[in-house]
Amino acid sequence: VLDLVEIPFGRSLLQGCLQHLQGFLLVADGAFQVCQPNNSVEIVRFDVLQDIVPALRAAFPDIEIVFRADTGFAMPEIYEYLEAENLKNVIGYATNAKLVRETILLQNYVAALASMYDEPCCRFPEIRGYQADSWDRSRRIIAKCEVTASGGPNRRFVVTNLSDAPSQVYHGCYVQRGH
């Protein structure tokens, strides 16, 4: 994995775009990934994102772009743009009452397993057919239902168009943002 300053080709153009995102351009397994290096919820300027994608495609025409981001990027216009550009993505998504209802049984099951075996436990269900009120269509949601080593519940959600198994999307891609 390389961060932006280690990429010699087209660095100044991409660096200028990415500084607005406070992000990095990472290379892993032949894919470039734009992501935030911290957990801030600063909102990306949408026009900057629209500049980054053509710049990346022009500089690296044979590279697949995967957009990974925290919940601060979970906006309908971001999803729609990424989909229109055929970009793969995985973006954190805030917990809400509907998603809690969808995962309550599995979260309780995970808690029971953690208690029975006295160890952390985690499962990654996929929620099919979820559509937020502000979305134009349904999207794939992956949940992380966990009981941590300290015994506390930890439930998280991501929106993605990646087709990999839920645990692979979460651990193999999403949690790697900013690294």
Side-chain angles (χ1 to χ4, degrees):
V1 175
L2 305 172
D3 93 20
L4 177 65
V5 297
E6 296 174 318
I7 299 171
F9 184 77
R11 184 174 80 192
S12 60
L13 168 66
L14 297 174
Q15 187 172 21
C17 291
L18 291 174
Q19 281 177 342
H20 294 287
L21 287 177
Q22 296 184 6
F24 289 92
L25 177 66
L26 302 177
V27 181
D29 300 325
F32 283 91
Q33 301 165 343
V34 179
C35 58
Q36 281 184 290
N38 56 36
N39 291 324
S40 71
V41 291
E42 293 182 28
I43 302 303
V44 62
R45 283 184 29 212
F46 189 59
D47 60 319
V48 174
L49 178 61
Q50 290 174 311
D51 290 339
I52 290 172
V53 171
L56 286 172
R57 285 189 168 146
F60 308 100
D62 298 326
I63 295 298
E64 177 180 61
I65 301 169
V66 178
F67 185 86
R68 289 189 301 205
D70 296 315
T71 307
F73 290 91
M75 298 176 281
E77 58 269 23
I78 297 286
Y79 302 134
E80 291 165 13
Y81 175 76
L82 296 171
E83 291 159 359
E85 292 295 321
N86 293 314
L87 296 175
K88 293 184 177 181
N89 61 80
V90 57
I91 302 171
Y93 192 71
T95 301
N96 62 49
K98 184 175 180 180
L99 291 174
V100 168
R101 281 191 306 275
E102 290 281 334
T103 57
I104 192 74
L105 289 176
L106 185 59
Q107 185 66 46
N108 289 341
Y109 175 72
V110 166
L113 287 175
S115 176
M116 185 170 28
Y117 294 106
D118 196 28
E119 64 184 32
C121 186
C122 188
R123 298 289 186 273
F124 296 92
E126 179 177 341
I127 300 170
R128 297 181 186 271
Y130 179 82
Q131 183 172 349
D133 292 339
S134 61
W135 296 357
D136 62 345
R137 63 177 192 79
S138 63
R139 291 186 170 86
R140 183 182 189 205
I141 299 282
I142 294 173
K144 176 175 94 169
C145 295
E146 176 182 38
V147 172
T148 64
S150 64
N154 183 24
R155 187 175 357 207
R156 311 281 177 158
F157 301 94
V158 297
V159 178
T160 187
N161 64 0
L162 298 176
S163 60
D164 299 321
S167 62
Q168 179 61 31
V169 170
Y170 199 88
H171 280 296
C173 186
Y174 180 68
V175 298
Q176 302 301 318
R177 69 200 185 285
H179 292 272

